Amino acid sequence: MKVPYRSPRAVDGRALTGVGPLWRQVREDLQARLLAGQFHDGFPGEHALAQEYAASRHTIREALRSLRSDGLVTAARGRASTVAEPTVIQQQMGGALYSLFASVEAAGLTQRSIVRRLDVRADGVVATRLGLEESTPLVHLERLRLAGDEPLAVDRIYLAASWAAPLLEVDFTHTSLYEQMHRLCGVRLTGGQELIRAVVPTAGEARLLQNPPEVAALALDRLGCSDGVPVEWRHTLVRADRFSLTAQFTPAGYHFDPGAGVTAPRPPGSTHIAGTVA
């Protein structure tokens, strides 16, 4: 059940009282109403919005243009705007190295990250998974990844500080980790093993991802390798309503490797996927 959203929008000619250009205030308010499900039965036209927000048609058009550019509403020439269906990021499972960064951009959305932590720390469990001594310093990167303006995934990544220290100076707002690993550290991921399973996110994770309570998430635990040597341990939590995985198959079977092992607890019935998600 959707919780009614109480908007600061104009009522009876009262103007918005937010910060920034009026079109941006209107855009942000409309986005909040969209996320609250207020326009399930139809999106209002420019004239109705201009009256509701006590704003000019030009202001409304600018707000709608921004919403269209982020894929939240759609409009064809001569037709009113409509609420867009959520863009689902599809990732092909073909056995080759693939990139979530590239998949988001290929879907026509801007991939952006909010870095929550980027530091050096010790983690005995992760170090062991990487074949290192438990006290080995590790570069730790945690980032919230967005597709357009909406949260898509939370990454928690560990790399040996002995070679990954240059990454501490990188701005990961809009860049691929693997590109930076290769450019700054000379390390290129060539394969690995990945465990993908459905999970119920914690309350904190659900808030961070803005995950609807009725939607599960996909957890991806990855051991990334360079020429057979473990170099990366990553735990990624992805909104299951925004992301899907597809597989190629032949008479010989699917591109899955149920016998491969990832150094992590293995839930009953889980399947290990050959490959990596960047």
Side-chain angles (χ1 to χ4, degrees), residues 30-249:
L30 285 172
Q31 177 179 344
R33 296 171 69 190
L34 282 163
L35 295 177
Q38 286 201 355
F39 301 123
H40 179 73
D41 296 326
F43 195 79
E46 289 183 7
H47 180 70
L49 289 172
Q51 287 188 322
E52 184 175 11
Y53 286 97
S56 68
R57 295 285 287 272
H58 175 74
T59 295
I60 298 301
R61 290 192 187 105
E62 282 297 301
L64 294 178
R65 180 195 59 76
S66 180
L67 290 172
R68 286 195 296 271
S69 70
D70 286 336
L72 296 177
V73 298
T74 60
R77 185 178 296 275
R79 296 183 181 180
S81 298
T82 58
V83 180
E85 292 295 323
T87 301
V88 176
I89 313 302
Q90 291 190 335
Q91 180 62 68
Q92 181 67 34
M93 300 288 290
L97 182 68
Y98 54 85
S99 167
L100 181 60
F101 182 97
S103 297
V104 171
E105 303 253 318
L109 299 172
T110 300
Q111 200 283 155
R112 182 169 62 88
S113 295
I114 298 173
V115 176
R116 292 168 50 80
R117 294 176 182 85
L118 180 56
D119 55 29
V120 176
R121 61 179 65 185
D123 188 305
V125 174
V126 173
T128 300
R129 289 169 177 163
L130 291 171
L132 304 170
E133 293 291 334
E134 293 186 4
S135 60
T136 301
L138 303 171
V139 170
H140 172 243
L141 169 63
E142 180 178 328
R143 55 185 175 167
L144 175 64
R145 306 181 71 170
L146 298 95
D149 282 341
E150 292 200 31
L152 174 65
V154 179
D155 265 342
R156 298 179 180 94
I157 302 158
Y158 295 87
L159 313 159
S162 58
W163 61 265
L167 298 175
L168 294 169
E169 305 302 322
V170 174
D171 179 1
F172 283 102
T173 301
H174 183 72
T175 190
S176 165
L177 171 65
Y178 292 162
E179 286 183 9
Q180 298 301 321
M181 282 171 53
H182 182 242
R183 185 177 70 88
L184 296 176
C185 309
V187 175
R188 184 189 294 276
L189 213 68
T190 58
Q193 299 166 353
E194 194 160 78
L195 167 67
I196 303 176
R197 65 189 189 278
V199 299
V200 177
T202 66
E205 291 168 336
R207 285 194 299 270
L208 190 61
L209 289 170
Q210 298 178 17
N211 203 71
E214 71 277 7
V215 176
L218 293 175
L220 296 82
D221 292 324
R222 176 193 317 146
L223 183 66
C225 299
S226 178
D227 296 327
V229 178
V231 295
E232 174 202 30
W233 175 261
R234 180 189 304 223
H235 173 76
T236 301
L237 195 67
V238 189
R239 279 184 53 160
D241 61 340
R242 301 292 313 283
F243 185 76
S244 65
L245 294 162
T246 61
Q248 296 290 333
F249 67 92

